[in-house]
Amino acid sequence: MLRWHHRLYADNLSGFLRHRRADDASHSVLRAEADERDVLFVLQPATSCRVHRPTVVLNGGYGTRLTVDAQAAGLSFTVLSPTGERLTTGREHPGGPLAIDVPPGGGIVFAAAAGSEVRL
């Protein structure tokens, strides 16, 4: 698990060097804006977030379902285990809110369906 998180940090260093900001009033959704993608940390009690470009969403709570509001069309997503293993292959996100099953400690990787690659 740590190997995946260390690689995620190294691959998105530009976002972690900048100030991370809260996306909600309770400060339970934190966003790091890297050059190529955003990294979102969804913490208790939050179970929802918004994405508008390639993004990695990390489930930092105990819930097993996150509602992701994709505010941009043309995003596909892959669900990852807590160790970074793929649990699903690239599925198209229809846009708008969508409930996605993701294990605690796991993540969801959103990529542009037109071929913008997100490294895992």
Side-chain angles (χ1 to χ4, degrees):
M1 179 167 65
L2 290 176
R3 183 177 298 150
W4 177 57
H5 287 105
H6 284 265
R7 188 175 57 215
L8 179 66
Y9 182 84
D11 288 348
N12 298 283
L13 188 58
S14 65
F16 291 107
L17 292 175
R18 297 184 194 119
H19 180 71
R20 290 169 293 287
R21 64 179 172 83
D23 269 11
D24 65 345
S26 66
H27 296 272
S28 56
V29 179
L30 303 176
R31 180 180 303 270
E33 295 177 343
D35 294 333
E36 296 178 6
R37 71 189 63 85
D38 291 347
V39 179
L40 284 176
F41 299 90
V42 181
L43 310 170
Q44 287 293 105
T47 58
S48 64
C49 62
R50 293 186 177 134
V51 299
H52 60 275
R53 67 186 202 123
T55 302
V56 178
V57 178
L58 296 172
N59 183 6
Y62 297 108
T64 58
R65 178 172 285 189
L66 296 178
T67 300
V68 180
D69 186 354
Q71 299 180 332
L75 290 174
S76 64
F77 67 93
T78 301
V79 177
L80 304 176
S81 74
T83 60
E85 295 177 59
R86 293 172 197 243
L87 298 177
T88 66
T89 55
R91 297 169 38 193
E92 295 295 316
H93 192 297
L98 178 67
I100 301 172
D101 292 327
V102 56
I108 310 168
V109 176
F110 289 89
S116 177
E117 189 65 30
V118 175
R119 288 178 51 198
L120 299 178

